[in-house]
Amino acid sequence: VLLIEATKKAITKDHKPVPVDVHGRLVLAEGEASGHRHLFRDPGVCMLAREGISDRVITLECDALLLHDPSDMAPVLAKGGALDGALRLKDRGLVRHVGFGMRPHDFHRQALETGAVDVMLTFSDFNLLRRSAAERGGILEQAAKHGVGVLNGFSIMRGILTGAPVAEAAERGRWTNAEDIARATAMRQWAIDREVSLLDIALQFCLAEIRIHGNPLGNQNIAELEQNVAAVSKPLPDGILKEFLGAAL
């Protein structure tokens, strides 16, 4: 599945925003990253657990609600914490699935061990530059064991794996890791030399992993949307992905 995102702010009936974003039909409850630390740290005031939230937020019956970027899982998983609040919304039929969006693999393992999550969003760890999520015993294996769906963030690493000039893409995407930029530059040149699309390779590599169920791309305009759809709609040249991976760039 290639997820096409249309981002907007959640609108409340009193026209005051609440710290919830709607990405297509995925609701992301923001926490540490957006400064709403009380969502995770104070089990008694977790916004998602408040009674009456359905009266404040118009967008209901979302496919998935993801708790984002906690710095400590203990208060999140504690009784009355953010996960309890999310599960309460699920019990009330306001969301169909509950999960987490975060980077640390150990945090994902803790969430999976609760047996309460349905979906997880991981970042930067399954793409042409990094594949730690797919290591033996890694989070893709663990998620599959628990029957949990996986969304794979940063499959094109903020644009540096699209085939665009890497320095320009890195500046636009605010990507500063020098090793990533150097490797992406080598990958781009490899693709140019063989007259193939690096974007096609990057996306189809991710789509070939059957334990991943979605790759959110964050299309910024119609042109990017059309380019990404085209990249996954035509088969790669025979043997090209095997050749690329064998180059170990």
Side-chain angles (χ1 to χ4, degrees), residues 46-96:
C46 172
M47 185 196 72
L48 296 175
R50 288 180 183 170
E51 294 299 328
I53 184 150
S54 61
D55 295 330
R56 298 179 59 219
V57 181
I58 292 173
T59 303
L60 303 176
E61 298 185 5
C62 293
D63 287 337
L65 183 148
L66 304 179
L67 303 171
H68 265 244
D69 298 320
S71 60
D72 181 359
M73 289 296 283
V76 181
L77 302 181
K79 184 177 180 180
L83 179 58
D84 267 4
L87 292 172
R88 188 179 305 180
L89 290 182
K90 182 180 176 181
D91 289 343
R92 292 166 61 187
L94 301 180
V95 298
R96 295 183 179 88

Side-chain angles (χ1 to χ4, degrees), residues 96-247:
R96 295 183 179 88
H97 305 93
V98 165
F100 287 85
M102 51 194 177
R103 180 86 190 277
H105 292 193
D106 181 57
F107 284 13
H108 278 298
R109 290 189 181 94
Q110 291 180 58
L112 290 169
E113 288 168 3
T114 68
V117 300
D118 309 298
V119 60
M120 55 184 271
L121 170 63
T122 184
F123 297 90
S124 300
D125 291 325
F126 190 82
N127 51 64
L128 297 182
L129 292 171
R130 298 192 186 93
R131 297 160 211 170
S132 60
E135 292 174 355
R136 183 181 297 274
I139 55 175
L140 292 186
E141 182 178 318
Q142 294 299 312
K145 183 184 299 184
H146 287 84
V148 169
V150 177
L151 301 177
N152 180 41
F154 286 18
S155 52
I156 54 176
M157 297 294 276
R158 288 191 177 271
I160 66 173
L161 295 178
T162 61
V166 176
E168 296 175 14
E171 184 176 0
R172 286 195 304 272
R174 299 179 182 179
W175 201 260
T176 59
N177 184 298
E179 181 180 355
D180 287 348
I181 291 171
R183 291 180 61 205
T185 300
M187 291 176 181
R188 178 176 183 266
Q189 189 59 53
W190 186 97
I192 289 172
D193 291 345
R194 288 155 182 80
E195 298 183 342
V196 296
S197 165
L198 182 60
L199 179 63
D200 293 7
I201 294 172
L203 291 183
Q204 294 197 40
F205 169 75
C206 293
L207 290 175
E209 172 52 72
I210 62 173
R211 296 170 296 183
I212 288 174
H213 308 98
N215 291 274
L217 297 178
N219 302 288
Q220 299 182 62
N221 51 54
I222 292 175
E224 287 188 5
L225 170 61
E226 292 177 340
Q227 185 179 33
N228 290 329
V229 170
V232 299
S233 298
K234 58 181 181 292
L236 292 172
D238 289 344
I240 200 69
L241 183 56
K242 182 177 180 180
E243 182 183 349
F244 176 89
L245 295 175

